[in-house]
Amino acid sequence: MKSEQQFWQDVASGVNPGWTVRVDPLSAGPTPNFSRNDAFIYVVDVASGWLGAGATTTEDAAKILASSRALLADQDNVLTLGSVNTADVAGKAIALCGAAHANAVAPEVTAAVSMTVAALHETQTYARAVQANRQSGQAAMAGHWIYIAYRTKNGKGIITRPVWVSSVHPGIGQTGRFLDPDRLLAIVRSVVHGDTTSTQTTVGNAIAADGGAIVSRKLGSS
């Protein structure tokens, strides 16, 4: 059985589109311009307030999906034991990064962003985004994708939820750039507040059923 660390290293080397990964605080340094990239991925561990981000293209995202599925077909490792889909693995990877306050060179960060790209493809949010992008003439995965991971108080599991913001949404961001960190945090805080104070959604119901979510001060209600 592979060690968990070895698994992350395998993911980092086997599913790597060559992006530059940024980690919390995302505001450190100037915002890079990735004019070729159309998909910007943000991963959030709510319990610690840790955030990471990476950028890729719709074409590379499809390759990441295929590679991720191939890696998950190998169940002989401690990470995927009991995990049957990319959402499970992406959630574990994000939570691990948050708990370790991982920096950009950690293989777990590349793995978390990579597995998130794969997990997004399997969501209803992705299907709706692709349809909207086609109608506006954008690439299938164009836009800003926020993947939020909740660690629950009963410790039974990790609950994830995707958020998509169109790259052409007025006043949100600029083409080929990451979201402004303050704007990103505002979006995340709003979603977290809704998920943790209401049971009107599937995510809210799941969080409540597991005793509530652990929420960092950074992402809690102001």
Side-chain angles (χ1 to χ4, degrees):
M1 179 178 286
K2 294 179 184 177
S3 68
E4 189 166 330
Q5 183 65 27
Q6 184 61 52
F7 176 75
W8 293 123
Q9 292 174 356
D10 289 349
V11 173
S13 61
V15 187
N16 190 344
W19 52 36
T20 297
V21 177
R22 305 176 70 199
V23 297
D24 184 43
L26 293 175
S27 56
T31 302
N33 187 304
F34 297 92
S35 58
R36 177 177 172 269
N37 295 309
D38 50 48
F40 294 83
I41 318 300
Y42 311 85
V43 291
V44 183
D45 176 51
V46 175
S48 66
W50 181 92
L51 295 93
T56 188
T57 65
T58 291
E59 292 77 14
D60 282 344
K63 298 174 185 177
I64 294 167
L65 174 61
S67 298
S68 297
R69 286 176 172 170
L71 283 166
L72 291 184
D74 175 14
Q75 292 292 309
D76 187 27
N77 59 73
V78 295
L79 182 75
T80 58
L81 187 64
S83 297
V84 295
N85 56 45
T86 51
D88 290 338
V89 180
K92 289 178 183 178
I94 295 168
L96 180 61
C97 287
H101 299 286
N103 59 40
V105 299
E108 293 88 346
V109 178
T110 297
V113 179
S114 298
M115 283 296 175
T116 292
V117 170
L120 287 167
H121 280 77
E122 300 172 0
T123 65
Q124 293 181 357
T125 299
Y126 175 79
R128 290 193 293 267
V130 169
Q131 182 178 10
N133 277 332
R134 286 174 178 167
Q135 292 175 348
S136 62
Q138 302 291 304
M141 204 172 177
H144 301 275
W145 300 83
I146 305 169
Y147 205 63
I148 300 174
Y150 294 99
R151 290 186 247 166
T152 56
K153 292 181 179 178
N154 67 8
K156 286 186 177 180
I158 299 167
I159 297 169
T160 56
R161 79 118 71 233
V163 177
W164 174 71
V165 179
S166 170
S167 59
V168 297
H169 192 290
I172 292 294
Q174 300 178 16
T175 301
R177 284 184 174 272
F178 285 113
L179 288 173
D180 175 81
D182 289 338
R183 189 177 296 278
L184 171 63
L185 282 174
I187 294 172
V188 172
R189 286 178 183 137
S190 177
V191 174
V192 170
H193 176 76
D195 286 343
T196 56
T197 59
S198 172
T199 58
Q200 298 302 306
T201 65
T202 301
V203 172
N205 267 322
I207 289 173
D210 280 359
I214 303 170
V215 181
S216 70
R217 290 185 179 181
K218 177 179 179 179
L219 300 180
S221 300
S222 56

